[in-house]
């Protein structure tokens, strides 16, 4: 753990992935933290019975949470599936909705699943060398569709914040599942258009 620096600094992230040479905070998200996120709840429970696997990790360079700063870091989504749905991050809107984010894919294969509060959606491929721009207003979730770690550098504005609540309630509009040994984008049966309440059973 390093003190926050107010002088220019450099660090390295290997182009073959892995942890950066410098970071302030290491977050790990295990399967148990993803309760309710995967469509196949039986498969989720069965996998959890086998142990609380780490699904993804984030190495953060922390910066003050103010406009003008640029927190950044490296996210690593491990390979695997819950039922036929690939390992993924929780996903979030930025609390300050009008803030964007940039991702640079270093290693692995996957997609970024995105949507706006109005229900517009987009799924973009991620592979090494690919840069992804997430415009303001778009919630984002990284999904690893390959068989090695999906490693990305990210940068976002300091005042963005994270809003997980909307996604925790009903997930993203689209799911990414394996179908005939290929990734496929399918509708999330739990998702309801803006303004329509979820049935009690969910
Ligand atoms: O800033 C981002 O969007 C990323 O660093 C994510 O926080 C990271 O991928 C982990 O995802 P989540 O915050 O949805 O758990
Ligand atoms: Ni974000």
């Amino acid at each position: 753990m390093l003190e926050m620096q107010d002088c220019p600094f450099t660090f390295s992230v290997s182009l073959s992935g892995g942890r950066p040479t410098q970071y302030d905070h290491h977050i790990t998200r295990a399967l148990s933290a993803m309760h309710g996120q995967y469509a196949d709840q039986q498969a989720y429970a069965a996998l959890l019975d086998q142990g609380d696997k780490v699904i993804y990790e984030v190495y953060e360079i922390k910066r003050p949470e103010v406009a003008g700063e640029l927190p950044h870091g490296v996210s690593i989504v491990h390979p695997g599936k819950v039922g036929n749905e690939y390992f993924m991050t929780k996903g979030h809107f930025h609390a300050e909705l009008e803030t964007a984010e940039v991702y640079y894919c270093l290693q692995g294969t996957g997609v970024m699943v995105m949507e706006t509060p109005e229900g517009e959606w987009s799924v973009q491929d991620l592979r090494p060398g690919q840069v992804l721009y997430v415009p303001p207003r778009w919630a984002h979730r990284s999904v690893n569709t390959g068989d090695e770690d999906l490693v990305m550098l990210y940068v976002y504005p300091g005042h963005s914040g994270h809003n997980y609540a909307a996604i925790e309630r009903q997930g993203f509009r689209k799911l990414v599942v394996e179908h005939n040994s290929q990734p496929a984008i399918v509708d999330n049966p739990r998702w309801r258009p803006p303004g329509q309440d979820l049935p009690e059973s969910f």
Side-chain angles (χ1 to χ4, degrees), residues 6 18 27 37 41 47 63 73 81 96 99 110 117-118 141-142 146 151 154 158 163 174 176 202:
D6 275 320
I27 299 166
Q37 297 295 302
Q41 293 181 29
L47 191 59
R63 298 301 309 170
K81 284 182 301 230
E96 188 62 54
T99 54
E118 292 75 31
R141 161 181 282 168
S142 325
V151 184
Y154 64 84
N163 172 5
K174 298 291 172 180
V176 184
F202 285 97

Side-chain angles (χ1 to χ4, degrees), residues 23-84:
Y23 55 90
D24 298 309
H25 195 207
H26 177 209
I27 299 166
T28 58
R29 291 258 190 268
L31 193 57
S32 58
M34 300 293 285
H35 183 77
Q37 297 295 302
Y38 288 97
D40 186 340
Q41 293 181 29
Q42 275 185 344
Y44 175 81
L47 191 59
L48 197 52
D49 269 353
Q50 293 169 31
D52 198 7
K53 257 176 109 66
V54 172
I55 306 295
Y56 63 98
E57 305 179 52
V58 185
Y59 293 94
E60 295 182 309
I61 301 282
K62 281 198 162 292
R63 298 301 309 170
E65 294 179 0
V66 296
E69 285 284 356
L70 293 172
H72 53 286
V74 172
S75 71
I76 303 178
V77 185
H78 297 302
K81 284 182 301 230
V82 175
N84 64 356

Side-chain angles (χ1 to χ4, degrees), residues 112-173:
M112 191 71 78
V113 176
M114 292 166 283
E115 69 186 40
T116 65
E118 292 75 31
E120 199 178 346
W121 65 274
S122 173
V123 176
Q124 298 290 326
D125 284 334
L126 300 166
R127 56 180 186 278
Q130 198 85 2
V131 178
L132 170 73
Y133 182 62
V134 182
R137 304 179 61 76
W138 287 78
H140 39 285
R141 161 181 282 168
S142 325
V143 182
N144 185 344
T145 58
D147 49 20
E148 60 178 324
D149 283 346
L150 175 66
V151 184
M152 290 187 289
L153 177 80
Y154 64 84
V155 187
Y156 60 86
H159 63 307
S160 299
H162 292 81
N163 172 5
Y164 291 98
I167 301 301
E168 278 169 0
R169 203 172 67 247
Q170 62 175 15
F172 280 74
R173 182 171 185 169

Side-chain angles (χ1 to χ4, degrees), residues 92 94 101 140 162:
H92 56 265
H94 287 167
E101 185 155 346
H140 39 285
H162 292 81

